[in-house]
Amino acid sequence: MRSLGVVALCAVLGGCVSTGETVSFKASNPQQQALMRDGQPALVSRQKSSLVLVRPASRQMQANGRPVFVVGINNLGKQTVDFRVGQVEAVQHAAGSDFEMKVVTYEMLVQEERNRQVAAALLTGIAAGANAYSAANAGHGSYTTSSGRTGTFYSPAAAAIAQNNAAIQNEAMIAATVETGQRNMAALEQAVIKDNTLMPGEWYGGQLHLAPPTDQGGGPKTYTIVISVGTERHVIDVAQGPAGA
């Protein structure tokens, strides 16, 4: 069981760190209220058996990046109720038409992180190989005497020091790569919303990631998120535009 307080602090993914645009909410029916929570816009949508609270995961969103929201769900009923990420819908409204905004699920984000880790491992391997190659050639040098005589030399001590330093650097690089991957995976597990059955009175929530809305020439982007809790549908109207506009 997760509390809403914990969930609301989970703006930990790289995609959430951004600048450029802010969002606002518009209550679309009497059961909704647009408000501020800790200096950020939020919307509360209440129906007979469920309550949904939505707010942005960060104070600003990247102009062409994925919108990320923190969603909190409360089961107000006396029976268990299911929340399914696959039932969340998002639609952008532009030029008189509606366009689907794909919901980026936990599984998709995990696969992206795995792909990132593979790329990072390859880059780390290349860097480690360059270090090892450089160390293998350490200790070799050349000299020129005052009489113009030239020659080469080899210092086993200098070679050993260089190889030891390279080994330490490579171990540190590999450890940092592994640690970053593990930390990112843990952040996804902790933060991203997933399918869940809510017990009566239970709160549940997490980050909801959406595909970027289509750019409107610098103008506001409007879209609707529909969050289903059991048979109840919470319709969330969002406007996203340049910060300070």
Side-chain angles (χ1 to χ4, degrees):
M1 182 183 299
R2 303 180 186 178
S3 68
L4 181 61
V6 172
V7 169
L9 295 176
C10 293
V12 294
L13 299 184
C16 302
V17 180
S18 53
T19 59
E21 296 186 338
T22 56
V23 302
S24 61
F25 299 98
K26 179 182 178 182
S28 60
N29 60 67
Q31 285 71 48
Q32 293 186 350
Q33 180 183 4
L35 41 77
M36 298 294 291
R37 298 294 292 175
D38 192 27
Q40 291 186 261
L43 186 134
V44 176
S45 177
R46 181 182 182 120
Q47 294 194 22
K48 180 179 179 181
S49 299
S50 61
L51 181 147
V52 169
L53 171 64
V54 181
R55 52 162 281 189
S58 59
R59 297 190 181 276
Q60 290 191 355
M61 294 186 178
Q62 187 177 5
N64 297 310
R66 289 173 177 166
V68 183
F69 297 91
V70 172
V71 177
I73 304 169
N74 185 207
N75 179 7
L76 302 175
K78 297 181 179 181
Q79 304 294 328
T80 60
V81 65
D82 289 335
F83 165 77
R84 296 285 181 264
V85 177
Q87 294 178 348
V88 176
E89 305 169 34
V91 177
Q92 181 180 2
H93 315 293
S97 299
D98 293 339
F99 304 91
E100 179 187 6
M101 294 171 61
K102 190 176 185 65
V103 175
V104 185
T105 65
Y106 167 75
E107 291 76 17
M108 294 176 184
L109 292 168
V110 166
Q111 186 59 54
E112 288 181 359
E113 173 58 22
R114 286 173 177 161
N115 293 342
R116 188 207 63 79
Q117 289 183 24
V118 169
L122 289 174
L123 292 176
T124 300
I126 291 172
N131 272 349
Y133 177 80
S134 177
N137 289 280
H140 294 275
S142 61
Y143 65 88
T144 302
T145 67
S146 58
S147 62
R149 179 184 174 186
T150 61
T152 61
F153 67 87
Y154 175 71
S155 171
I161 292 172
Q163 291 168 6
N164 182 63
N165 289 340
I168 293 173
Q169 292 173 359
N170 288 347
E171 183 177 348
M173 283 193 302
I174 293 170
T177 300
V178 172
E179 181 182 355
T180 298
Q182 292 175 339
R183 185 169 61 248
N184 289 348
M185 283 295 192
L188 290 173
E189 175 65 35
Q190 175 67 21
V192 180
I193 200 166
K194 310 171 190 68
D195 294 352
N196 195 72
T197 297
L198 284 79
M199 305 300 290
E202 182 182 7
W203 276 98
Y204 172 74
Q207 291 181 351
L208 177 67
H209 294 241
L210 303 177
T214 303
D215 182 66
Q216 299 300 304
K221 308 161 189 174
T222 60
Y223 48 94
T224 298
I225 306 170
V226 180
I227 299 173
S228 296
V229 183
T231 60
E232 296 181 342
R233 289 164 55 89
H234 297 263
V235 179
I236 315 297
D237 289 330
V238 184
Q240 178 179 333

